Amino acid sequence: MVEWSDAERSAIAAVWGKLNLDEVGPQALGRVLIVYPWTQRYFGTFGDLSNAAAILGNPKVANHGKVVLGALDKAVKNLDNIKGTYANLSQLHCEKLNVDPDNFRLLADCLTIVIATKFGAAFPPQVQATWQKLMAVVVAALTSRYF
Amino acid sequence: MVEWTDFERATIQDIFSKMDYESVGHNALARCLVVYPWTQRYFGNFGNLYNAAAIMGNPKVAAHGVVVLHGLDRAVKNMDNIKATYAELSVLHSEKLHVDPDNFRLLADCLTIVVASRLGTGFTADVQAAFQKFLAVVGAALTKQYH
């Protein structure tokens, strides 16, 4: 089981509490589709993804960004059982959606960057380390049902 | 040879021309040592790296961060020939310093986060893509002489 210190728990709660999920979700997903264009292959039904402006203005991308951050909320609220919390989601991503698990890390990276752009100096190294630990645990949990 | 669009060239030049090399170099290297603690193994003679505060306050870390950024500057000034520009540095990192090339990506990620936190909304998805492409090319050039 993953150990979280009190400092880590409060750092995560502090970061999460300051995030507008409806804003950050779309931005993070948009960045993934722009910076790592092969990820667009998973969103064939989303319509126009032909350039950065189209992606950032695409309502399906925005909606799906919110869905993803909503799911991340479950991890933040269940730090002591992220693996169990994500068992079904892991199966879904592997067996139905056939998502290469490398892509989870790419989305985690883009979310971290969005947070850095918003928080500036309020995202010091120790907080970054804690946040990336959470991202790594989430990615591992989402990958846990792959075989 | 790597192809750079006008936007990518302008973006890279713009980011680095406005950058405070001392501060950014220090911050990026310190983050690397905090967030990915195994990287401390390369800096055995740097003194106190026991915790985030010690790392951030360590003058050798600060000095070396600047050295790294000035090394990066050579790529900024030779974007059409990064591979040759870094041939000797690559040999140095592989044969003398024995640095695992995965660590170039980790430092690049930390540098991206520092730049993102300084530029805020100015670090758009397109800018992020250009910056990460640049750092990927740098990483590849530094890895080139490994065998």
Side-chain angles (χ1 to χ4, degrees):
Chain A
M1 193 182 105
V2 182
E3 299 281 342
W4 300 100
S5 70
D6 290 341
E8 286 171 333
R9 288 176 196 271
S10 37
I12 289 170
V15 169
W16 198 248
K18 292 198 208 111
L19 291 180
N20 177 346
L21 303 192
D22 285 346
E23 190 198 346
V24 165
Q27 282 185 23
L29 183 58
R31 277 179 194 262
V32 173
L33 298 170
I34 291 166
V35 180
Y36 311 110
W38 59 87
T39 57
Q40 293 168 25
R41 69 183 296 284
Y42 297 111
F43 302 101
T45 58
F46 273 27
D48 188 2
L49 300 177
S50 49
N51 55 47
I55 289 169
L56 292 171
N58 185 311
K60 290 190 171 183
V61 171
N63 248 344
H64 198 68
K66 296 179 196 174
V67 165
V68 170
L69 267 269
L72 201 48
D73 189 56
K74 286 199 223 155
V76 173
K77 302 215 159 29
N78 289 281
L79 286 181
D80 291 313
N81 191 15
I82 294 179
K83 198 154 75 170
T85 304
Y86 277 169
N88 288 341
L89 264 179
S90 179
Q91 224 165 333
L92 171 76
H93 282 77
C94 148
E95 294 182 14
K96 274 226 161 67
L97 306 176
N98 301 123
V99 176
D100 185 331
D102 284 349
N103 295 305
F104 303 146
R105 182 179 59 80
L106 300 182
L107 180 53
D109 284 353
C110 283
L111 180 55
T112 306
I113 285 174
V114 170
I115 291 173
T117 62
K118 292 204 179 298
F119 285 31
F123 195 58
Q126 200 55 62
V127 175
Q128 178 190 337
T130 301
W131 180 257
Q132 291 198 221
K133 174 177 171 177
L134 173 65
M135 292 293 96
V137 172
V138 164
V139 167
L142 276 172
T143 314
S144 66
R145 294 297 177 126
Y146 282 67
F147 34 73
Chain B
M1 192 181 105
V2 181
E3 300 281 341
W4 301 100
T5 65
D6 290 342
F7 173 80
E8 288 167 342
R9 284 180 197 276
T11 298
I12 299 302
Q13 297 305 315
D14 188 53
I15 289 177
F16 280 88
S17 68
K18 297 199 189 104
M19 188 188 289
D20 175 351
Y21 279 34
E22 258 102 51
S23 166
V24 168
H26 174 193
N27 220 295
L29 182 59
R31 275 177 197 264
C32 206
L33 298 170
V34 170
V35 181
Y36 311 112
W38 59 87
T39 56
Q40 293 167 25
R41 70 183 295 284
Y42 298 110
F43 303 101
N45 59 355
F46 270 29
N48 188 353
L49 300 177
Y50 295 150
N51 55 44
I55 291 170
M56 288 302 291
N58 186 310
K60 290 190 169 182
V61 172
H64 197 67
V66 177
V67 166
V68 170
L69 261 276
H70 282 302
L72 206 48
D73 193 57
R74 289 161 59 185
V76 174
K77 299 200 161 38
N78 289 282
M79 281 177 72
D80 289 312
N81 200 6
I82 294 179
K83 202 156 70 175
T85 303
Y86 278 167
E88 282 174 26
L89 265 178
S90 182
V91 169
L92 171 75
H93 281 77
S94 100
E95 295 186 12
K96 270 226 163 68
L97 306 175
H98 304 300
V99 176
D100 185 323
D102 283 349
N103 295 307
F104 303 146
R105 181 177 61 79
L106 300 183
L107 181 55
D109 284 353
C110 284
L111 182 57
T112 302
I113 286 176
V114 173
V115 171
S117 67
R118 301 287 163 107
L119 296 185
T121 50
F123 197 63
T124 63
D126 281 336
V127 169
Q128 178 188 335
F131 194 66
Q132 292 197 230
K133 173 177 170 177
F134 174 71
L135 291 178
V137 171
V138 164
L142 276 172
T143 313
K144 191 77 179 62
Q145 302 295 331
Y146 281 69
H147 42 252

